[in-house]
Amino acid sequence: MSQQANPRGTFLKIADSVKRQIEHDPDMTELPSLAEVMRDHKVSRGVALRAFGVLRQEGVAEPVPGGRWRVVRAGAQADRRPLDQRIAGIITAEGLEAGEAFPSASVLAQRFGVSRPTVTKALEKLEAAGVLAGGGQGRVRTVRAVPTREERS
């Protein structure tokens, strides 16, 4: 009988490998992409996702909508509010007033570490709520109103 790798538990071995990476690199803030895990460990997407699920259960990492999984470190504070609320917070944090230009989707995507389509969805929510005006291809988005307490929290 030939010895073959047992597929059961492979995702646990991958999770352990990623945990070791996190422990050895204190500056690591996000997990490798699913594609990198699949390539490096020669596994399917499902196995890689199960490994990420283990890391989530153990409180080592958490998913980020529109971005890579984030490393969770003990004692580190992460803003877990929805993206639209974090973006609206820019208005008060930077003292923007009605009529002033708002940062572009590209700038916001880089600032929050998420994809542009994810930022665009959040900006659309703020436009629908009457907080921002304008936007769209080639148009500068402006502040329409300072967010109320409910929109900021």
Side-chain angles (χ1 to χ4, degrees):
M1 179 184 243
S2 68
Q3 284 196 328
Q4 293 182 342
N6 183 349
R8 297 183 95 186
T10 302
F11 67 98
L12 294 173
K13 292 175 187 172
I14 294 169
D16 287 340
S17 172
V18 173
K19 279 193 283 188
R20 282 192 300 277
Q21 277 182 287
I22 293 168
E23 290 167 5
H24 293 303
D25 185 359
D27 296 328
M28 186 176 185
T29 58
E30 46 186 42
L31 298 185
S33 69
L34 275 177
E36 291 169 341
V37 170
M38 291 165 53
R39 181 195 65 223
D40 294 347
H41 296 278
K42 297 175 178 47
V43 295
S44 68
R45 180 177 170 81
V47 172
L49 283 170
R50 285 186 75 185
F52 280 24
V54 169
L55 296 170
R56 183 181 194 176
Q57 273 185 319
E58 294 178 359
V60 174
E62 64 187 5
V64 176
R68 286 190 173 187
W69 282 58
R70 171 184 14 217
V71 173
V72 177
R73 300 208 184 262
Q77 293 291 342
D79 190 349
R80 289 182 170 79
R81 293 178 299 159
L83 183 59
D84 59 302
Q85 291 178 8
R86 290 186 284 154
I87 290 174
I90 291 173
I91 297 170
T92 53
E94 296 184 6
L96 298 177
E97 297 193 16
E100 289 190 63
F102 198 73
S104 69
S106 297
V107 169
L108 294 169
Q110 188 172 19
R111 180 173 178 169
F112 291 102
V114 297
S115 68
R116 278 187 51 217
T118 300
V119 169
T120 301
K121 287 179 186 176
L123 291 172
E124 288 169 355
K125 281 185 177 180
L126 293 172
E127 287 175 10
V131 175
L132 297 176
Q137 196 163 1
R139 293 180 27 215
V140 175
R141 191 172 272 110
T142 58
V143 176
R144 180 181 280 172
V146 176
T148 61
R149 180 185 256 339
E150 297 83 43
E151 291 165 334
R152 282 186 269 150
S153 59

